Amino acid sequence: MTRYTAPLKDMQFLLQEVLKVTQSDVPGYSDLDAGFTAAVLEEAGKVASEVLEPLNAVGDREGCVLENGTVRTPEGFKAAFAAMKEGGWTALDCDPEYGGQGLPYLMQSAVGEIFVSANMAFNMYQGLTHGAYSAIHAHGTAEQKATYLPKMVSCDWTGTMNLTEPHCGTDLGLLRTRAEPQADGSYLITGQKIFISAGDHDLAENIIHLVLAKAPGGGEGTKGISLFIVPKFLVKADGSLGARNPVSVGKIEDKMGIHGNATCVLNYDGAKGWLLGDLHKGMRAMFTMMNEARIGVGLQGYAVAEGAYQNAVDYAKDRLQGRAVTGSENPSGPADPLIVHPDIRRSLMDQKSFLEGARALTFWGASLIDRHHRLQDAAADGLIGLLTPVIKGFQTDKGFEMAVQAQQIFGGHGYIEEQGMSQFVRDARIAMIYEGANGVQALDLVGRKLAADGGRHVMAFFDLVKAECKAHDGDARMAPFTDALKLASKQMQAAGMFFMQNGMKNPNAALSGSNDFMHLMGHVCLGLMWTRMAKAALVALDGGTTDAAFYEAKLATGRYYMARQLPACAMHLARIETGADPVMALPPEAF
């Protein structure tokens, strides 16, 4: 059996000492004092460990079942979902006008990590609803907002996003779902969507599907796509539920992981829908949901690995195997615990240093989203746009790798289902694929985001790194961080220069290195985060903290990342500078 404990001290450290939320000029941040954030996170931690985590293996084992056209969720999910609703956890950062609590997105992210670590599949039901809520909030009419948002904030109704079809995933210009306009202003939606997470279930009274479809007159490709609100049950004028809309579950997908979430094939047979946003501008409205989802998936990448790591640490401390090469550390026992062995310690340090760095990057990203939304800060919007494919792609690639490393600590026992470690690996795997597969994230980063607005945002990122390093000039204690970060930043700039010099005449030269660049930038981002965390730890130690062990551990973990992980930037740069020739050398028939 597995267990999970929310890393409250690490979260508080980031909020209060690294981000220094109460000193921020972002509206609402001044209310996030240590007492308030501790109370919220502690209560979320209780829900996670007492309600959600015990259902994680249940959901994995039972999965979801399609019965008489309706999906039944695993045992205990209904009661847990009711508890989430009753506790107000579905409404944390939602608009108070529609029943939300109005907290910053940063707090939604912190709580979201806790819930994902405890039970990723379960949390997706409310997580996807939040994304649909955001799309309607941003693009809906006043009537649409009044009709749908209060019920979605409370999760009495849940939401989905419907993009993928059997013949098209990333290339949405190929979609075939059609929307036929009706005299009353509605549309009849006909087509099939696949891979629809939380597509149907028994947790809510209604499900509000956001569906991409092509209406007449839109032309070919993505420019002709519109977004429609298609409820499972039609909503009457008084807000009560009416007839069942002709949208049905074709089947539940048989998946590698996240078994507790109902991933459905949905068939739309002339289902009634209403345009969300502008006609033929559906991609813009959908990307409101997609961009939020990509940050959320990046969070999933490290949050699932956090759960795996905690169990790996427990096992490494308890399991007796072999003797320490420097002499027995458990002389009264038959063997020493696994954690005495250097390679086990390396694996745990790989995990710990990534997890804490990824959490810092995600929290910083969430604060940029708050800054954009609450202050209309265009620079913050540009920066989080640049960081989004890195947060999604790098963190889910590495998160899966860390989940595998955690499983490896268990040896053969990690491969046995009763230990629960394989679920972490299987659940983590989907995060690399959905909301835009990671190869697409890398292409987006190199092909679009680096050059966006004339390269202004990547230059702003380099300026941030430079300023961070300069701020610590003369502090020898910070040298292991700033020296490594300067070098990694130069390597990232060299990679960018290679793209500039070669990409226009041979686009393959840039795109062949896109995955390496995403990882290179990911390491630089975590290096920046560790530099900030190291400074905060030193400030606490200099101030005479009563918890010196916590801050010393932060510094040691950060030094490990800078010494053992950041050198990967040189490898990624070397690969990038080989260009397209090694990648494209073979003709298709040679494979």
Side-chain angles (χ1 to χ4, degrees):
M1 294 294 292
T2 58
R3 65 94 182 169
Y4 169 71
T5 302
L8 303 179
K9 188 178 291 187
D10 287 306
M11 290 182 164
Q12 283 288 86
F13 169 68
L14 288 176
L15 294 173
Q16 304 299 332
E17 299 174 67
V18 179
L19 292 174
K20 300 177 181 178
V21 286
T22 58
Q23 300 176 32
S24 171
D25 61 342
V26 175
Y29 273 39
S30 61
D31 297 328
L32 303 181
D33 61 75
F36 176 78
T37 57
V40 172
L41 297 177
E42 183 177 347
E43 193 60 33
K46 289 179 182 178
V47 173
S49 60
E50 297 173 7
V51 178
L52 302 186
E53 201 281 335
L55 293 175
N56 200 33
V58 174
D60 185 57
R61 182 174 61 251
E62 292 187 9
C64 297
V65 179
L66 179 59
E67 295 179 336
N68 300 318
T70 300
V71 173
R72 177 175 57 79
T73 54
E75 183 74 24
F77 271 42
K78 271 188 177 182
F81 201 69
M84 295 291 282
K85 291 164 55 179
E86 184 177 348
W89 296 110
T90 65
L92 280 184
D93 70 326
C94 296
D95 190 339
E97 183 176 349
Y98 304 104
Q101 298 178 37
L103 291 180
Y105 179 70
L106 175 58
M107 289 303 296
Q108 164 75 16
S109 297
V111 170
E113 178 198 322
I114 293 171
F115 292 160
V116 169
S117 291
N119 195 326
M120 174 176 166
F122 176 90
N123 193 65
M124 289 171 64
Y125 290 101
Q126 67 192 51
L128 286 156
T129 303
H130 190 282
Y133 153 88
S134 295
I136 296 173
H137 190 273
H139 302 284
T141 64
E143 181 181 2
Q144 288 172 337
K145 293 178 185 180
T147 299
Y148 299 107
L149 294 189
K151 293 287 190 179
M152 296 177 75
V153 167
S154 66
C155 270
D156 289 333
W157 300 351
T158 59
T160 70
M161 54 194 300
N162 286 233
L163 292 79
T164 309
E165 300 182 6
H167 57 281
C168 75
T170 300
D171 190 357
L172 289 170
L174 298 176
L175 69 79
R176 296 172 185 160
T177 299
R178 297 294 169 183
E180 294 297 329
Q182 304 300 297
D184 63 357
S186 67
Y187 290 77
L188 295 184
I189 311 299
T190 301
Q192 185 181 76
K193 298 290 185 177
I194 65 171
F195 305 158
I196 308 306
S197 300
D200 196 83
H201 52 80
D202 55 2
L203 303 178
E205 302 166 356
N206 202 4
I207 301 175
I208 310 305
H209 303 293
L210 298 191
V211 184
L212 287 180
K214 289 189 174 181
E220 297 301 315
T222 58
K223 293 180 180 179
I225 295 175
S226 301
L227 183 61
F228 298 90
I229 298 173
V230 187
K232 176 180 177 179
F233 290 97
L234 297 175
V235 181
K236 297 179 182 179
D238 63 0
S240 62
L241 298 184
R244 174 74 183 260
N245 218 354
V247 50
S248 60
V249 181
K251 70 171 182 175
I252 300 175
E253 303 284 10
D254 187 9
K255 311 184 297 293
M256 175 180 175
I258 54 168
H259 296 153
N261 194 269
T263 306
C264 299
V265 173
L266 293 182
N267 297 316
Y268 292 86
D269 300 304
K272 204 173 186 69
W274 289 265
L275 182 68
L276 177 60
D278 296 328
L279 187 64
H280 309 315
K281 303 291 184 182
M283 293 302 294
R284 183 177 66 179
M286 180 57 83
F287 268 103
T288 297
M289 189 172 184
M290 283 289 289
N291 287 332
E292 177 183 310
R294 285 172 176 171
I295 298 294
V297 172
L299 182 150
Q300 288 178 337
Y302 79 84
V304 174
E306 170 70 32
Y309 164 74
Q310 290 188 16
N311 288 276
V313 169
D314 290 348
Y315 191 80
K317 289 180 177 179
D318 292 342
R319 175 75 168 175
L320 302 181
Q321 291 285 283
R323 291 293 187 186
V325 294
T326 54
S328 176
E329 296 195 20
N330 181 33
S332 63
D336 290 334
L338 282 173
I339 202 166
V340 306
H341 302 301
D343 193 61
I344 296 294
R345 198 72 66 84
R346 171 205 57 79
S347 176
L348 292 175
M349 287 297 286
D350 279 354
Q351 295 168 58
K352 181 177 174 64
S353 63
F354 164 74
L355 292 168
E356 294 180 19
R359 177 179 297 115
L361 178 58
T362 303
F363 281 24
W364 180 45
S367 74
L368 292 173
I369 291 174
D370 281 330
R371 176 166 288 277
H372 167 55
H373 287 164
R374 295 179 175 231
L375 288 173
Q376 289 72 55
D377 188 326
D381 186 41
L383 188 54
I384 191 58
L386 173 70
L387 293 173
T388 293
V390 179
I391 291 172
K392 196 283 183 186
F394 174 73
Q395 289 187 180
T396 58
D397 276 354
K398 299 299 287 186
F400 175 73
E401 179 185 329
M402 294 305 114
V404 171
Q405 285 209 39
Q407 182 190 39
Q408 186 75 13
I409 296 289
F410 285 70
H413 291 285
Y415 200 68
I416 303 302
E417 288 295 334
E418 69 185 67
Q419 291 289 349
M421 295 306 291
S422 70
Q423 184 185 352
F424 292 120
V425 174
R426 289 183 283 103
D427 286 355
R429 185 65 183 89
I430 186 57
M432 302 163 70
I433 298 172
Y434 62 11
E435 311 307 344
N438 286 355
V440 176
Q441 301 301 319
L443 294 177
D444 177 50
L445 175 63
V446 171
R448 296 175 56 198
K449 297 298 175 62
L450 290 183
D453 296 324
R456 183 195 319 161
H457 307 302
V458 71
M459 294 309 298
F461 176 78
F462 286 134
D463 288 343
L464 278 173
V465 172
K466 183 178 180 180
E468 188 67 40
C469 293
K470 187 173 179 59
H472 309 303
D473 281 350
D475 188 343
R477 300 173 300 175
M478 289 296 295
F481 297 90
T482 55
D483 289 352
L485 182 57
K486 286 176 186 176
L487 177 58
S489 179
K490 288 178 181 177
Q491 290 162 337
M492 180 179 160
Q493 291 178 61
M497 186 61 66
F498 177 85
F499 293 152
M500 288 179 60
Q501 293 172 345
N502 296 275
M504 291 299 292
K505 58 186 177 184
N506 182 9
N508 284 339
L511 299 184
S512 295
S514 59
N515 186 270
D516 279 291
F517 186 84
M518 180 177 72
H519 278 253
L520 196 167
M521 186 172 174
H523 282 301
V524 174
C525 286
L526 263 61
L528 175 61
M529 294 301 102
W530 272 116
T531 302
R532 291 177 174 177
M533 287 190 282
K535 180 59 180 177
L538 288 171
V539 168
L541 290 167
D542 291 344
T545 176
T546 58
D547 194 4
F550 173 81
Y551 296 103
E552 292 289 1
K554 280 287 177 214
L555 289 169
T557 306
R559 284 191 289 263
Y560 178 90
Y561 194 87
M562 307 309 274
R564 299 277 301 209
Q565 298 299 321
L566 230 55
C569 293
M571 175 193 70
H572 290 301
L573 174 60
R575 289 174 174 174
I576 288 167
E577 290 180 336
T578 64
D581 290 347
V583 176
M584 306 300 290
L586 289 180
E589 59 269 19
F591 286 90

